[in-house]
Amino acid sequence: MSTGDIEDVETFRQRARAWIRGNLAPLPAGSGIGVMRAGESDEAELAAVARQREIQRMFYDAGFAGIAFPREYGGQGLTADHQKAFSEEISGYEYPADIQAPTFSPCAAVLLDFGTEEQKRQHIPAILKGEELWMQFLSEPSAGSDVAAALTSAVRDGDDWILNGSKIWTTGAWWSDWGLVLARTNWDVPKHRGLTVFILPIHQPGIEVNRIEMLNGNKEFCQEYLTDVRVPDTDRIGEVDDGWTVGTRWMFHERMLHNSPLVTIPADGARGTIRATHLVEIARDAGRLEDPLARDLIGEGRMLDLVTHALQGRLSRGLRSGRMPDQSAAIGRLFTGVTAARTTTLSFNLAGGASAAWTDDDGATAECGNDFLLRQVSCIGGGTTEMARNVVSERVLGMPREPAKDRGIAFRDVPRGASNRG
Ligand SMILES: Cc1cc2nc3c(=O)[nH]c(=O)nc-3n(C[C@H](O)[C@H](O)[C@H](O)COP(=O)(O)OP(=O)(O)OC[C@H]3O[C@@H](n4cnc5c(N)ncnc54)[C@H](O)[C@@H]3O)c2cc1C
């Protein structure tokens, strides 16, 4: 049954459920759990990405790609409620995790907000088909939290721009296709007023992608060196020097990830997190199900799950209806960050001796120690929780802004290390 042009949510849900069960593999218990765990090999990681592209294409062919994206760009033109229903139904089944973030949000979301008609028509359908994987070229070796302090420069040369600089902590750049880049186009104005956003193919002469190995062996992160990379002006997003307008929306979409109507993330949690149900498995495999302290820890994990779910729902409704300012997305980002770090700590505490040394047959307790060492990634990636606290205090609660020595000063004249550039 449908109302008007749009299929009603319940009918859509039934259709989605049948398709998911008929076409996607259920995830084995405990799969996808953990904090940025190392893959078996590069080949296995590439094969996993290839499978995700395939699933994304299956979504597209079945009419489930870009559920809330406009129809003119290949989306389904449905609502956030339809997307929510799909995300609920796909819980427990394989899904293209690495394509949804950051390709769909923030990158495709930024394209929808600021892209030209040609840019949207070129890229959005390709994204929805799994043909283009996008990454965020935002962080720099000398500017992470202070995003507006980017040093990567773009200099106009006829119809092109020439980019030079370095970006870092780019998740998955080595297997992705396109980057959304924040670059400095004007050094003679204060830092927020001299930035511009560009898009560029990652694998091309002038871009060197180096992988960074983390302490658990994960090599997902990359650092890129850009040397005289030529970008046509038609690949600029937004106005010249107005990259901060694009950038603030970009960061909004990044913080919104778990509430975004543009993203398929299983309702029972994104891959790579630890949930309370998994805490029970850890306690069982550690032989501690009857231990009152273990039960306390599991209870805390369950409480965090419930509060996260309720808070995200409230934020999502508030932001969609406009009752909450966009900056409130930082509340969700803050809470999911500290909660994920805490839940990882709970799993470490539950695992007992296996937290220090484990073997492959230790079941759910294996690698809890590794996860613990990496627990802070949830408080750093997507902007740090300290910055989220700043946003909440200054932009949501209206408290005084923190002092900044570079306010009102041309970026060229801001002291930074041994030498200034420009
Ligand atoms: C899992 C993960 C995925 C990531 N993926 C990407 C990606 O795909 N693309 C990308 O571009 N980047 C990515 N990053 C990088 C991430 O965005 C940055 O690491 C982050 O913004 C922090 O920047 P930084 O590492 O330079 O730390 P710094 O900015 O040097 O900060 C160091 C510490 O100081 C604190 N701090 C700094 N300034 C203030 C202030 N004014 N008030 C209070 N505290 C402050 C910070 O919160 C932090 O705790 C990722 C990071 C992680 C962990």
Side-chain angles (χ1 to χ4, degrees):
M1 195 179 76
S2 64
T3 40
D5 285 346
I6 294 190
E7 183 179 18
D8 69 84
V9 176
E10 203 38 46
T11 312
F12 173 83
R13 179 192 291 282
Q14 298 301 334
R15 194 161 61 81
R17 181 179 300 167
W19 184 82
I20 289 166
R21 292 184 182 172
N23 290 279
L24 301 178
L27 293 172
S31 67
I33 299 283
V35 185
M36 294 188 81
R37 288 189 182 165
E40 284 163 28
S41 64
D42 288 357
E43 290 70 30
E45 199 170 328
L46 291 175
V49 173
R51 172 64 183 156
Q52 294 190 44
R53 286 188 197 258
E54 204 173 274
I55 298 173
Q56 187 59 43
R57 178 71 207 205
M58 288 161 68
F59 281 3
Y60 186 84
D61 291 340
F64 293 116
I67 291 166
F69 277 68
R71 279 176 183 271
E72 61 264 40
Y73 307 125
Q76 309 304 321
L78 296 171
T79 68
D81 288 337
H82 292 83
Q83 177 58 63
K84 186 164 172 281
F86 191 78
S87 293
E88 283 165 3
E89 293 303 327
I90 208 163
S91 294
Y93 288 83
E94 57 177 345
Y95 77 106
D98 296 313
I99 301 187
Q100 297 298 311
T103 301
F104 278 73
S105 191
C107 295
V110 166
L111 270 177
L112 281 179
D113 284 348
F114 295 98
T116 61
E117 195 54 25
E118 292 74 42
Q119 287 168 345
K120 289 184 209 175
R121 289 193 186 277
Q122 178 186 351
H123 295 292
I124 304 281
I127 286 173
L128 297 182
K129 290 176 194 162
E131 291 166 359
E132 289 186 7
L133 267 61
W134 285 54
M135 288 296 145
Q136 308 180 72
F137 280 26
L138 203 54
S139 301
E140 297 198 3
S142 60
S145 295
D146 191 2
V147 177
L151 293 177
T152 292
S153 70
V155 175
R156 186 86 195 223
D157 181 36
D159 289 339
D160 294 341
W161 293 84
I162 313 278
L163 269 60
N164 279 286
S166 180
K167 296 286 176 180
I168 193 167
W169 310 128
T170 324
T171 316
W174 71 284
W175 43 251
S176 297
D177 311 306
W178 289 82
L180 192 63
V181 190
L182 184 72
R184 182 155 307 280
T185 40
N186 191 340
W187 297 75
D188 297 317
V189 290
K191 63 179 178 183
H192 293 98
R193 303 222 305 264
L195 298 162
T196 307
V197 175
F198 299 91
I199 56 183
L200 84 171
I202 296 175
H203 301 289
Q204 59 164 304
I207 303 186
E208 186 188 319
V209 179
N210 287 350
R211 295 168 67 189
I212 301 169
E213 185 164 355
M214 293 169 72
L215 55 78
N216 67 348
N218 179 305
K219 288 198 277 184
E220 210 172 309
F221 277 143
C222 300
Q223 175 165 12
E224 304 81 25
Y225 296 95
L226 280 63
T227 309
D228 294 333
V229 178
R230 205 164 261 280
V231 177
D233 189 52
T234 47
D235 282 346
R236 166 169 52 82
I237 304 250
E239 300 302 317
V240 174
D241 291 350
D242 193 29
W244 195 242
T245 302
V246 181
T248 45
R249 192 76 189 152
W250 175 348
M251 280 172 264
F252 163 75
H253 285 301
E254 186 176 38
R255 289 179 198 133
M256 274 286 284
L257 188 61
H258 294 270
N259 294 313
S260 175
L262 303 178
V263 179
T264 293
I265 288 188
D268 67 354
R271 206 186 67 177
T273 53
I274 291 168
R275 294 183 290 279
T277 44
H278 190 60
L279 294 180
V280 177
E281 287 159 29
I282 295 171
R284 188 199 54 224
D285 290 355
R288 297 184 62 193
L289 269 186
E290 303 302 324
D291 174 349
L293 176 60
R295 287 170 172 246
D296 269 5
L297 298 176
I298 293 167
E300 183 183 341
R302 177 68 181 146
M303 182 271 293
L304 290 174
D305 265 4
L306 291 173
V307 176
T308 303
H309 192 69
L311 181 69
Q312 296 292 12
R314 180 142 184 232
L315 282 168
S316 175
R317 287 190 297 276
L319 287 160
R320 266 195 274 147
S321 67
R323 276 183 294 112
M324 291 182 177
D326 280 5
Q327 300 287 359
S328 308
I331 301 171
R333 189 274 161 278
L334 170 59
F335 198 77
T336 48
V338 292
T339 299
R342 178 65 189 150
T343 313
T344 306
T345 305
L346 296 176
S347 75
F348 175 77
N349 291 340
L350 281 168
S355 291
W358 60 91
T359 59
D360 285 346
D361 55 10
D362 275 346
T365 61
E367 296 224 37
C368 286
N370 255 339
D371 289 342
F372 181 72
L373 294 175
L374 289 170
R375 70 196 178 286
Q376 289 298 341
V377 301
S378 65
C379 294
I380 303 172
T384 64
T385 43
E386 287 88 351
M387 299 310 288
R389 286 188 165 93
N390 283 354
V391 173
V392 172
S393 65
E394 296 175 13
R395 309 279 168 175
V396 180
L397 300 175
M399 292 166 72
R401 293 183 66 181
E402 67 175 330
K405 289 193 174 144
D406 54 7
R407 199 165 289 147
I409 298 175
F411 191 68
R412 184 187 298 285
D413 299 328
V414 174
R416 48 183 171 277
S419 65
N420 287 4
R421 294 184 43 183

